[in-house]
Amino acid sequence: GPNNLGRLGHGDTQSRSLPNKIEALAGQRVVSVVASGCHGFALTADGAFFSWGHHGGGGESILGHGYPFVMGQGVEDQLLPKKIDLWVGERPDSTGPSEDGDESNGEYSGSDS
């Protein structure tokens, strides 16, 4: 299909007429993929989350990589899948030890107990 903005995740913007394996995800056990007109996302069996494609306009970083926006300057599109570090076993609001001295470094076990 069309590959403008790098939405196919092959490291280029060349369109493809047949499905191709995303080589950057080789060795990962991908359990879910979501694709849109501008970007794609993949979730692996170990909970890693990858994104690629168009970063968006107007300052948002819709791929989750946190790139800063500078007025008048665009952010390059992500042509290859890149891991979203925040979601690798962490809660978005976890930044380190809790107020009670727990030194779990923000690791999230999947429960709120």
Side-chain angles (χ1 to χ4, degrees):
N3 193 26
N4 56 322
L5 310 172
R7 63 182 166 183
L8 296 180
H10 296 299
D12 58 34
T13 56
Q14 177 183 345
S15 295
R16 310 284 197 292
S17 59
L18 296 172
N20 295 129
K21 178 180 179 180
I22 300 176
E23 293 298 331
L25 294 174
Q28 300 288 334
R29 185 168 166 249
V30 176
V31 295
S32 184
V33 175
V34 175
S36 80
C38 297
H39 41 266
F41 300 90
L43 176 66
T44 65
D46 63 358
F49 199 65
F50 292 83
S51 67
W52 61 91
H54 185 55
H55 278 291
E60 66 265 17
S61 178
I62 58 177
L63 295 180
H65 302 297
Y67 297 119
F69 176 74
V70 178
M71 188 60 80
Q73 297 180 11
V75 176
E76 287 187 26
D77 295 325
Q78 182 69 41
L79 300 181
L80 290 169
K82 182 175 179 178
K83 187 186 290 184
I84 300 174
D85 292 326
L86 178 66
W87 286 5
V88 180
E90 296 181 7
R91 293 181 62 158
D93 60 350
S94 295
T95 58
S98 64
E99 291 179 22
D100 64 357
D102 178 6
E103 303 226 8
S104 64
N105 293 323
E107 289 186 12
Y108 180 51
S109 66
S111 68
D112 288 318
S113 55

